[in-house]
Amino acid sequence: MPLSRRALLALLPAATAAANAAPAQARSAGRPAAAVAADHGRLLDNTVAVFAGTAESNARPEVAGKLSAMAATARRWLAALDTAGPDELFAGLPLGTNDAHLNASYLHLYEIALATVAPGDAAPDLRENAAVRRRVVDALGWLHERYLGDQAAGYYGNWFNWEIGIPTHVSRTAVLLADELAAQAPGLTATYVATLDAYLRNGKDGDVDLDSRFHTGANLADITVNRVLQGAVTGDEARIVQAVADLETVFPPIDPYRLRHGVTDGFYADGSFIQHASVAYTGSYGVSLLSRAVQAFKVLTGTAYLADEELVEVVRGWLVNSFAPVIFEGWLMELVRGRAVARTTSGYQAVAGVVEAAVDLSAAVTDPERARALRGYVRYLRETSPVPADPAGFVSPVSVARYAEILADEASPPADLGPAARNVAFNAMDRTVHRRPGYAFALSRSSARISRYEYMSGENLLPWFQGDGAHHLYLAGQDQTEAYGVDYLTTVSPYRLAGVTAPVEARASVPELYGGLWYDNPEAGFTSSSEAQNTYVYFPRGTNAHSGGASLDGYGAVGMTLADDVAWRDQRAGLLPADFVAYRNAAGTRSWFLLDDEVVLLAAGVRDPAGRAVTTTVDSRIAAADAEVSLTGRRPDGRPWAGPGPEQPLSWLRFADPRAGTAVGYAFLAPTRARVSWETVTSSRRVVRTGNPDSPVTRRVFSLLTERPAGAAAPGALACALVPHATEERLAGYAGGPLTVLANTARLQAVAHRELGLVAVNSFAPGRHRVGGMEISGAASVLRRAEPDGTLALAVADPTTERAQVTVVLPGRWLRPVAADEGVRVRRTPVGTLVEARTHRRYGASLVTRLR
């Protein structure tokens, strides 16, 4: 009889080495041969259905575009097969030294095979074409014989192509053409599997190594799903069982205090997702893991290998808590896309994988209401996105058909997977997303835990300040390609990204510094994918512990101390080679208080230890080259603002783009001299990514910034409210309005909003901090709000993740707790009420209590 869930789990936790050492018969004990064979058959049938579709799905008119695209791709590569030159399988892809070309060659063979298998009438010249299939089988043999089989000549270039890219294409092709391979080249599939095992050089004995830094998160899912397909097509039960065991390790949330195999890559309890050990990556590798997990469910459905009901619910949680908050009107936000922000693929295109996963999960979730919510979310993304996802880009024709059914399903009203007003603190990855009807504010931070940016492989060439408090303010109803995306990075100075404080200096990209895509110094441990390269070049972390904040009932307080990165620190300590280039940052304290109608930006103690000038950019926005943007403002004395140019006193400023239907206001909450830049910039997209086309982009670029001159004695400061959709009347009302800055120093920053009954505080130093009717111990983020029913709500967080406890004293009469999170203790004291929040091992999470 089939393995029960309990019996399967008894096998899964065993150590990888022990599992590899056990004979196949022992690992599949109790499984009748007929049951094993039936499950392998299901795996193969399921896989073909996932990638090629079914007769039912492919008969739907909505799938015709997908099938036509598949056929056109196959015909294009068949033509390239006919015109290939020496050392080429496909014309234009010379082989022997370029691993990307070898990977592409295997991809194109898969694309040809796919068109011959897909049911339907879209490609009668290709469907079940024995001659075409024979060409693919022959080409597989040719590639293996000349370019893959020789281990001594292989494994050049990017490890990913050898361990994930090529195995993915080979494994899928082997399933699609299983019968042809068995008949025409009986030993080729087994030969390929053995070769791919040998190329798993970051693994262990030809299998996954859960202790390897390469076999984590999305990468692990890719490798294990490939091995499931290989096991199915070769009849290797042991390979499938072990691959599923390894795959299941990606589903539990990462506990930063109890790491398994030392792995920090994956989803966290607060919705964060990390890949590459310290990069916020929901929008790229996270999408890959989401897609692979859902594919695994579809491939393994109906077999004894996976209890998909339990894991489907886990993945649904990823969609709700990790993905939905970072998608605004169909746009996948930049702050979680790593180096992919520099690609020409827009946030609308990047969200396609999430949409397809939601489509498929809606069919897998057993709870009717949750399934309906997923269908409603799919419809919501379709209706709110100015550039809806193109289903022709989905992986599976079955998903395309299902998508069409959902869009026609009036019983599932369009709805987001979260409230329109929410504050999401992704403290485990140093990101914050604040949403209100009409806008979303996305904040990128960094620390000793999370990288300041990601550069790699010539992608994201000018990244230095992307994790230093850079923000994106997305406005409802706008096509975000006109406001952000690759053209924002192409035309906005990397030193003037919205929200960042940066020293005035010129920095050079990695290729400019070293003449290549990485710092090459093998003797010092720097090779293309070495740990040293990762630590100091690709994704360096900061040296600051303080980065995080509290969240309460949709409001937020976030704080960060600016600091150098580890490369500067270790270079100064003499730990890096003399020719390695590191850059020093400015210093200061930053806060963001996230309310309803505004986001308050505070900066204090802004200075440069090296004596350089420093700029703090309040905001930078782009508009079309011919946009007729309106810039208006007032000085503190009531006179009109004089226009772009040198610094001048400002009370408020308004940026409005009538054609886009957008406006942003900036209300200064303390005396400020600011400079406005409004210029036309033309640049090539290649300046931010070597693989981008060298085509000019022209945009009008607006920047609002404050400047601290070189050698200035006094530190700089800033207090400003960003006001989405602001009118001039609204901005004028901030003088004497309900919003007050209570403190703005390097030790303490706080604001109060009278109408909201809210006090928000960030403290940055040891000792006692008295502000807003509270006394706070040490570094903390605190939100206090008087609610309409007379309850006082208090949220406390440790933004350093290092404190055992944060205490808050509320002077006055005793307030008794009516609700409190675990870890919160409330005591009466002679002066009032003492709230003790046990922040030990909470990783920056907010602890909330309600008092009366």
Side-chain angles (χ1 to χ4, degrees):
M1 60 185 295
L3 271 161
S4 69
R5 172 66 175 165
R6 180 171 297 178
L8 181 59
L9 284 175
L11 294 174
L12 301 188
T16 302
N20 285 339
Q25 294 87 346
R27 278 185 276 170
S28 57
R31 287 270 281 162
V36 171
D39 273 353
H40 293 179
R42 289 189 196 96
L43 279 171
L44 297 177
D45 291 343
N46 290 345
T47 303
V48 173
V50 167
F51 297 109
T54 65
E56 181 182 9
S57 69
N58 294 7
R60 288 188 63 105
E62 298 90 349
V63 184
K66 170 69 176 176
L67 299 177
S68 295
M70 288 166 54
T73 298
R75 294 188 189 102
R76 180 168 70 253
W77 293 116
L78 279 168
L81 198 62
D82 292 335
T83 57
D87 297 320
E88 292 180 339
L89 180 63
F90 295 99
L93 296 175
L95 300 170
T97 59
N98 190 314
D99 59 305
H101 287 180
L102 183 60
N103 181 58
S105 296
Y106 278 108
L107 168 62
H108 301 326
L109 288 178
Y110 161 72
E111 290 169 329
I112 294 170
L114 188 63
T116 72
V117 173
D121 301 324
D125 55 323
L126 298 173
R127 168 80 172 140
E128 298 182 354
N129 188 316
V132 171
R133 292 178 179 176
R134 189 177 304 113
R135 292 190 72 181
V136 173
V137 172
D138 291 344
L140 286 171
W142 185 83
L143 281 177
H144 187 277
E145 178 184 354
R146 297 192 178 209
Y147 299 105
L148 192 74
D150 186 353
Q151 293 284 316
Y155 213 91
Y156 45 86
N158 190 338
W159 75 272
F160 184 94
N161 286 327
W162 301 92
E163 299 201 24
I164 295 179
I166 292 170
T168 296
H169 311 318
V170 170
S171 302
R172 293 177 181 178
T173 305
V175 172
L176 295 176
L177 300 185
D179 292 341
E180 286 75 7
L181 282 162
Q184 298 172 33
L188 186 57
T189 298
T191 298
Y192 257 106
V193 170
T195 298
L196 296 179
D197 284 353
Y199 275 119
L200 203 64
R201 296 181 184 180
N202 291 303
K204 188 172 184 179
D205 301 327
D207 202 347
V208 164
D209 180 5
L210 295 178
D211 292 316
S212 168
R213 63 188 173 92
F214 295 89
H215 294 183
T216 62
N219 290 337
L220 178 61
D222 284 334
I223 294 168
T224 53
V225 174
N226 289 341
R227 294 178 74 80
V228 166
L229 301 188
Q230 294 159 14
V233 81
T234 59
D236 187 344
E237 173 79 346
R239 176 179 288 259
I240 297 171
V241 170
Q242 186 59 51
V244 172
D246 295 332
L247 172 64
E248 282 204 324
T249 66
V250 306
F251 293 102
I254 301 294
D255 180 350
Y257 301 105
R258 194 173 296 173
L259 296 175
R260 297 180 297 273
H261 304 282
V263 172
T264 58
D265 291 354
F267 289 94
Y268 287 68
D270 69 358
S272 298
F273 177 83
I274 291 173
Q275 188 79 29
H276 291 163
S278 58
V279 179
Y281 237 146
T282 319
S284 186
Y285 277 94
V287 176
S288 177
L289 177 54
L290 175 70
S291 299
R292 275 299 214 176
V294 175
Q295 284 176 19
F297 298 151
K298 290 158 58 174
V299 166
L300 293 165
T301 190
T303 72
Y305 299 114
L306 196 66
D308 56 352
E309 249 185 68
E310 298 172 22
L311 298 183
V312 162
E313 186 56 31
V314 171
V315 176
R316 188 196 68 84
W318 296 351
L319 198 61
V320 173
N321 300 314
S322 300
F323 289 96
V326 299
I327 298 173
F328 181 71
E329 295 188 343
W331 178 270
L332 192 50
M333 296 176 180
E334 282 88 340
L335 81 170
V336 289
R337 294 189 63 202
R339 68 185 189 271
V341 295
R343 297 173 187 168
T344 55
T345 306
S346 79
Y348 297 123
Q349 294 166 293
V351 86
V354 181
V355 175
E356 184 172 8
V359 166
D360 291 330
L361 280 172
S362 71
V365 169
T366 56
D367 181 271
E369 283 305 308
R370 290 178 174 177
R372 190 166 76 98
L374 289 175
R375 293 193 297 271
Y377 184 58
V378 170
R379 300 188 70 204
Y380 170 81
L381 292 177
R382 174 64 179 81
E383 293 194 7
T384 59
S385 175
V387 185
D390 181 3
F394 289 179
V395 172
S396 176
V398 175
S399 303
V400 178
R402 196 171 284 147
Y403 181 62
E405 293 173 355
I406 290 173
L407 295 185
D409 177 17
E410 297 296 336
S412 301
D416 200 352
L417 287 177
R422 52 185 146 161
N423 180 269
V424 187
F426 295 115
N427 284 327
M429 64 176 180
D430 279 350
R431 299 292 187 267
T432 304
V433 173
H434 186 69
R435 300 183 62 154
R436 287 296 185 271
Y439 76 91
F441 179 85
L443 175 65
S444 300
R445 300 175 275 108
S446 57
S447 64
R449 305 173 295 276
I450 295 298
S451 299
R452 299 178 61 236
Y453 56 80
E454 187 195 43
Y455 158 81
M456 192 187 292
S457 304
E459 294 191 291
N460 202 21
L461 293 165
L462 312 176
W464 309 291
F465 304 102
Q466 290 171 1
D468 282 2
H471 72 246
H472 292 76
L473 178 59
Y474 303 100
L475 301 176
Q478 183 170 25
D479 182 343
Q480 301 303 333
T481 59
E482 297 178 0
Y484 292 113
V486 65
D487 292 343
Y488 179 83
L489 293 179
T490 298
T491 55
V492 174
S493 165
Y495 316 104
R496 294 187 187 175
L497 299 179
V500 307
T501 296
V504 177
E505 68 175 359
R507 300 188 177 190
S509 68
V510 168
E512 290 170 335
L513 289 172
Y514 307 118
L517 299 183
W518 60 83
Y519 172 60
D520 191 26
N521 189 340
E523 292 184 0
F526 286 87
T527 56
S528 63
S529 58
S530 66
E531 290 196 59
Q533 197 80 231
N534 292 350
T535 300
Y536 297 113
V537 180
Y538 289 162
F539 23 88
R541 305 183 196 201
T543 55
N544 55 304
H546 195 123
S547 176
S551 183
L552 174 68
D553 299 337
Y555 300 100
V558 188
M560 177 184 176
T561 55
L562 302 179
D564 296 313
D565 65 12
V566 294
W568 175 262
R569 179 198 65 191
D570 289 355
Q571 186 193 59
R572 297 287 290 173
L575 302 178
L576 296 177
D579 64 338
F580 186 90
V581 178
Y583 293 108
R584 189 174 197 176
N585 275 0
T589 300
R590 298 296 310 273
S591 283
W592 298 263
F593 298 112
L594 311 166
L595 310 177
D596 282 331
D597 299 323
E598 58 273 306
V599 173
V600 181
L601 312 181
L602 297 187
V606 175
R607 63 198 185 282
D608 181 62
R612 299 164 295 184
V614 179
T615 62
T616 296
T617 302
V618 177
D619 203 9
S620 284
R621 303 191 69 83
I622 63 173
D626 60 348
E628 296 182 358
V629 167
S630 167
L631 292 173
T632 56
R634 287 284 172 179
R635 296 164 60 102
D637 60 10
R639 289 185 294 160
W641 165 67
E647 274 194 332
Q648 56 186 295
L650 265 178
S651 175
W652 59 264
L653 186 79
R654 182 173 183 264
F655 170 99
D657 185 346
R659 188 167 69 185
T662 59
V664 183
Y666 311 92
F668 290 94
L669 306 175
T672 304
R673 294 181 62 85
R675 180 157 68 91
V676 175
S677 172
W678 178 237
E679 56 188 342
T680 300
V681 177
T682 299
S683 186
S684 168
R685 288 173 172 169
R686 193 166 288 176
V687 302
V688 295
R689 181 174 180 262
T690 57
N692 283 348
D694 190 15
S695 51
V697 172
T698 301
R699 293 289 184 271
R700 294 282 275 167
V701 178
F702 160 80
S703 292
L704 172 62
L705 60 148
T706 63
E707 300 172 307
R708 180 179 181 271
L718 170 72
C720 182
L722 268 64
V723 188
H725 309 294
T727 63
E728 293 185 1
E729 292 74 17
R730 171 79 177 165
L731 293 169
Y734 279 91
L739 186 59
T740 304
V741 177
L742 301 178
N744 189 19
T745 70
R747 287 178 49 86
L748 182 67
Q749 295 177 323
V751 300
H753 197 293
R754 185 175 65 250
E755 293 177 357
L756 297 178
L758 182 73
V759 175
V761 182
N762 288 317
S763 52
F764 296 89
R768 297 286 177 179
H769 305 277
R770 294 178 177 86
V771 66
M774 295 182 287
E775 183 181 275
I776 300 164
S777 66
S781 288
V782 177
L783 290 164
R784 189 195 73 197
R785 189 180 186 213
E787 299 182 339
D789 65 355
T791 302
L792 185 72
L794 189 75
V796 179
D798 166 26
T800 72
T801 74
E802 297 175 352
R803 302 191 61 195
Q805 180 172 279
V806 174
T807 63
V808 178
V809 176
L810 303 172
R813 60 178 180 169
W814 157 244
L815 301 173
R816 63 178 179 83
V818 294
D821 286 346
E822 183 180 355
V824 178
R825 182 184 178 193
V826 180
R827 293 194 292 124
R828 181 181 299 194
T829 72
V831 298
T833 306
L834 173 65
V835 178
E836 298 171 324
R838 179 74 172 166
T839 54
H840 178 63
R841 293 201 164 196
R842 297 303 297 260
Y843 217 60
S846 296
L847 296 173
V848 176
T849 184
R850 300 183 191 277
L851 309 159
R852 193 186 299 276

